[in-house]
Amino acid sequence: MAEDLIDFSVPLGPVSVSINGLLRKLFVRKAQSPSDIVAERFLVLFGAHGVAVSQIPRLLPQVGLDHLNSRDSLLGALTNDVLDETGKLFGVEREWLDGVSDRLYASRTIYKRPVNLFRDLATLKRDDDWFPVRVLYCTNELNAADNRSQPLVLLLAERIAEFGDEEIMKYRVYSDTWDWSYGPARVQLKAMARLAFLALDCPVPLYRVGSGIMDRIMDGKAVPRSYLTGSPLTNPSLEDFALTVEESGQAKECEELPTVLQYIRETKLDEAAARTVSQQKGEDS
């Protein structure tokens, strides 16, 4: 069933009913063939991103409502071009859609390469409510003085559509094993968060999740949407750990800020952030 293919067990309201109902109708009465797995993953992928069955044609006009009435009609609509476009739409690997891999997202790393975060940000379309960088963590709180493991996952979220009040996002998940208790990783995270906030005017919200969920997302095996819940204006946000008390009323761990600023100077990360701003302004004009 769908829950075995993707982390789709979290209730998604009417979207969950829509997708799961269609899956039961089309597939549970017959033994699954390889083509059935492709069709099932296609449907589950839309549901996991908050897209109801009836909304699929709004994102993929090649797949009409008539294609969603039967197993055979859906299979006939899933051409190579449609599957390629679906993968690009949500930023997932074609191999996952083909049923030959359990990893949705390509492996991306930016540890010791912080400039790559800003290169990725430069490719995103800026909108009015811009929270492209998001962080998952699973401890009670982030604390540089605590030597126990404090893992985090960094990801990018990009709006691709808006259906009423529902935002449809695509994600890029970084597979680096970040640990707040490890100084070099923590300083890099703080530097990136500081510049994302000050140069690009984008806060970096923190979302607390279970360790098992975080591992699945870091491994590229779950869509993050269901776990990025609530307001993106979190308290604290990641940038609060890299700002002065004058810059943030929620400033934390200010004693490490000189090390963070030195890291920015040595890596010339501020120049990378400035280039990102310049590229985005060029796109807007």
Side-chain angles (χ1 to χ4, degrees), residues 42-92:
F42 172 84
L43 291 173
V44 168
L45 187 63
F46 279 91
H49 286 85
V51 181
V53 171
S54 59
Q55 294 172 324
I56 292 176
R58 295 176 64 176
L59 294 174
L60 272 184
Q62 308 94 308
V63 180
L65 290 175
D66 56 327
H67 293 122
L68 300 166
N69 286 328
S70 73
R71 173 176 169 272
D72 290 340
S73 61
L74 176 58
L75 290 174
L78 298 183
T79 64
N80 279 327
D81 288 344
V82 166
L83 292 173
D84 281 343
E85 187 170 343
T86 302
K88 292 177 182 176
L89 179 66
F90 293 117
V92 305

Side-chain angles (χ1 to χ4, degrees), residues 258-279:
T259 304
V260 174
L261 296 176
Q262 180 181 355
Y263 176 88
I264 291 173
R265 288 192 297 269
E266 291 176 349
T267 59
K268 299 182 179 179
L269 198 55
D270 51 343
E271 297 179 11
R275 285 194 297 271
T276 298
V277 173
S278 177
Q279 288 174 276

Side-chain angles (χ1 to χ4, degrees), residues 112-155:
K112 294 186 177 180
R113 293 185 290 272
V115 66
N116 287 349
L117 174 68
F118 293 94
R119 288 174 179 165
D120 287 346
L121 283 168
T123 68
L124 304 185
K125 184 177 181 180
R126 192 183 186 109
D127 56 41
D128 293 336
D129 299 315
W130 207 49
F131 298 89
V133 188
R134 312 202 184 191
V135 174
L136 305 177
Y137 71 107
C138 62
T139 52
N140 288 332
E141 61 179 358
L142 299 179
N143 185 352
D146 189 342
N147 292 326
R148 290 174 295 182
S149 176
Q150 301 171 62
L152 305 94
V153 172
L154 191 70
L155 60 91

Side-chain angles (χ1 to χ4, degrees), residues 75-276:
L75 290 174
L78 298 183
T79 64
N80 279 327
D81 288 344
V82 166
L83 292 173
D84 281 343
E85 187 170 343
T86 302
K88 292 177 182 176
L89 179 66
F90 293 117
V92 305
E93 296 288 272
R94 172 65 190 268
E95 288 75 13
W96 183 85
L97 277 167
D98 289 340
V100 297
S101 171
D102 61 354
R103 188 180 186 100
L104 289 115
Y105 300 105
S107 179
R108 298 173 180 270
T109 60
I110 54 174
Y111 179 55
K112 294 186 177 180
R113 293 185 290 272
V115 66
N116 287 349
L117 174 68
F118 293 94
R119 288 174 179 165
D120 287 346
L121 283 168
T123 68
L124 304 185
K125 184 177 181 180
R126 192 183 186 109
D127 56 41
D128 293 336
D129 299 315
W130 207 49
F131 298 89
V133 188
R134 312 202 184 191
V135 174
L136 305 177
Y137 71 107
C138 62
T139 52
N140 288 332
E141 61 179 358
L142 299 179
N143 185 352
D146 189 342
N147 292 326
R148 290 174 295 182
S149 176
Q150 301 171 62
L152 305 94
V153 172
L154 191 70
L155 60 91
L156 297 184
E158 180 181 12
R159 186 185 306 179
I160 59 175
E162 193 168 358
F163 298 157
D165 294 332
E166 189 71 35
E167 291 182 329
I168 310 303
M169 313 288 284
K170 68 186 294 186
Y171 305 95
R172 302 183 196 182
V173 179
Y174 295 103
S175 49
D176 305 275
T177 306
W178 300 101
D179 188 339
W180 197 255
S181 68
Y182 181 58
R186 183 177 64 250
V187 168
Q188 180 182 336
L189 285 168
K190 289 183 176 184
M192 293 187 299
R194 176 179 175 84
L195 290 176
F197 178 71
L198 293 180
L200 282 73
D201 193 28
C202 59
V204 183
L206 287 164
Y207 299 89
R208 188 180 175 193
V209 298
S211 58
I213 291 170
M214 194 172 68
D215 288 343
R216 283 180 55 78
I217 293 175
M218 183 178 65
D219 291 340
K221 297 180 180 179
V223 174
R225 173 185 176 271
S226 298
Y227 311 107
L228 304 177
T229 57
S231 171
L233 294 173
T234 60
N235 183 14
S237 296
L238 190 64
E239 74 275 3
D240 290 322
F241 292 85
L243 299 174
T244 66
V245 292
E246 291 78 20
E247 293 167 329
S248 168
Q250 305 295 325
K252 297 179 178 295
E253 300 184 357
C254 297
E255 66 279 0
E256 197 168 45
L257 187 54
T259 304
V260 174
L261 296 176
Q262 180 181 355
Y263 176 88
I264 291 173
R265 288 192 297 269
E266 291 176 349
T267 59
K268 299 182 179 179
L269 198 55
D270 51 343
E271 297 179 11
R275 285 194 297 271
T276 298

